[in-house]
Amino acid sequence: MNCHDDVCVTCSDQAVPVRIVELLDDGLALVDPGEHEGLEEISVALVTARVGDTVLVHAKEAIAVLRAAP
């Protein structure tokens, strides 16, 4: 994977928001990191997330699901 900006889903030292586009087997998901090219595979084993959810990812691990304010 090539990092294109200062923030990278794989190697960033901060959590970044990404959108889940497909849930895979074994607690994995494909996400759209937005400005970066292509989809990335991350773990969603620590959260309960659905396709379309935005999750915070750190080191390829989803650590929180972001919910819209009511």
Side-chain angles (χ1 to χ4, degrees), residues 29-63:
L30 288 178
V31 298
D32 178 1
E35 297 176 15
H36 303 286
E37 294 182 25
L39 301 178
E40 292 191 42
E41 187 175 279
I42 64 162
S43 170
V44 289
L46 300 178
V47 298
T48 301
R50 301 176 306 236
V51 171
D53 283 348
T54 298
V55 294
L56 283 179
V57 175
H58 175 68
K60 295 191 96 169
E61 183 73 49
I63 58 173

